[in-house]
Amino acid sequence: MEFLVSISLDLNRVPEGQREALLAAEREAALRLGAEGVIVRMWRVRGEARTVGVWRAESDGDLDAALGRLPLRPWLEVTATALEEHYADPGR
């Protein structure tokens, strides 16, 4: 299954003494999820502290588990929408 995932982060909520280490760990985790094929595509939203991406998982539970691997997960606001194929998708 593919999911459209929107992730927002308010850095002010992240403990100041842990920010640098958590941000570095977050980058590594995201790159690893991409290499594993979980994160298919990801974009930053211009002017916002938010990303949107296409994630791949077998189920809602697997997506939750993948998101749980992000070190900043306790401070992230996440919205996930399950996607289905569309007959007019040029990438079909």
Side-chain angles (χ1 to χ4, degrees):
M1 288 175 84
E2 290 184 327
F3 297 85
L4 179 64
V5 178
S6 175
I7 300 174
S8 298
L9 172 63
D10 179 355
L11 270 177
N12 293 322
R13 295 178 52 217
V14 179
E16 191 173 335
Q18 298 176 24
R19 282 183 198 156
E20 188 175 318
L22 284 168
L23 287 169
E26 186 81 3
R27 284 185 205 98
E28 289 178 26
L31 290 171
R32 194 167 28 257
L33 287 166
E36 294 170 6
V38 175
I39 299 175
V40 179
R41 294 290 309 270
M42 185 170 280
W43 300 267
R44 290 181 146 199
V45 177
R46 185 182 300 170
E48 298 181 30
R50 184 165 67 101
T51 63
V52 293
V54 175
W55 291 50
R56 195 171 284 142
E58 292 295 318
S59 66
D60 293 353
D62 287 341
L63 178 65
D64 286 339
L67 289 163
R69 292 170 53 192
L70 298 173
L72 288 171
R73 180 62 184 109
W75 301 280
L76 298 175
E77 290 188 32
V78 177
T79 303
T81 304
L83 302 172
E84 294 182 350
E85 287 189 8
H86 190 281
Y87 70 89
D89 178 8
R92 281 177 54 141

